Structure formats: C-alpha cells, structure tokens
Amino acid sequence: MEIISFTFGVLSVIAVVFASVIVLSIVKVLKLQQQIKELQNELGHTHTQIFDGDKNVHQRIDKDVDQIHHRIDQLNSYVDSRIDKCEAKKQLIKG
C-alpha cells in the first residue's frame, strides 16, 4: 500500500508540474500572439505614414515645378513685351 501511495504522490507532483508548464506555455504563447498583433498594427501604421509622407513630397515637388514653370512663363512674357517695345522704338527712330 505504501508503494501505491508513494507512486500516486509522485505522479500527482509530476501532473501538477506538467499542468503548470502547460499553463505557463499557453500564457506565453498568448502574450506572444498579442505582441505579434501589436507589431503588425504598428507596421501597418508605419507603412501608411511612409506612403503619406511620400505622397506629400511628390505633391510638393509637383507644386514647386508648377510654380517654376509659371515664373518662367511670366519672365518670357515680360522679356517679349520688352523686346516688342524696343522694336517699336527702333521703328520710330528709323521712322
């Protein structure tokens, strides 16, 4: 009878240790799954920020290029009007 009691005692200790390891493993896995979800969300947010930043940079470049073209057009228009005035004065002088 003592051997059976001892065996059941040892087996019950092994079962408690085994159950504890299983519970701790499950808790660790659940924590890791939560961390993975948080990292995926953060990665998605970071990707969105990068895409938005890239989009803003391209929009600003397009705006700056448009402004430069507009200034060049204004300068060309000014130079054309000055040339026309010079030619008109030249015609008056030749007269």
Side-chain angles (χ1 to χ4, degrees), residues 48-85:
T48 301
Q49 285 179 327
I50 290 171
F51 178 76
D52 289 345
D54 191 43
K55 182 178 161 187
N56 290 338
V57 167
H58 285 292
Q59 287 175 344
R60 180 159 179 178
I61 289 171
D62 290 342
K63 181 182 173 187
D64 289 347
V65 167
D66 289 342
Q67 287 177 348
I68 289 170
H69 284 293
H70 180 70
R71 288 182 183 171
I72 290 171
D73 289 343
Q74 284 179 331
L75 182 62
N76 284 340
S77 176
Y78 178 77
V79 168
D80 284 345
S81 70
R82 295 286 107 194
I83 289 173
D84 290 343
K85 283 185 179 182

Side-chain angles (χ1 to χ4, degrees), residues 4-18:
I4 293 175
S5 295
F6 178 75
T7 306
F8 281 135
V10 170
L11 288 177
S12 64
V13 169
I14 291 173
V16 168
V17 169
F18 187 68

Side-chain angles (χ1 to χ4, degrees), residues 13-32:
V13 169
I14 291 173
V16 168
V17 169
F18 187 68
S20 298
V21 168
I22 289 175
V23 168
L24 291 175
S25 298
I26 290 172
V27 168
K28 186 69 173 177
V29 167
L30 292 175
K31 284 183 181 179
L32 288 173

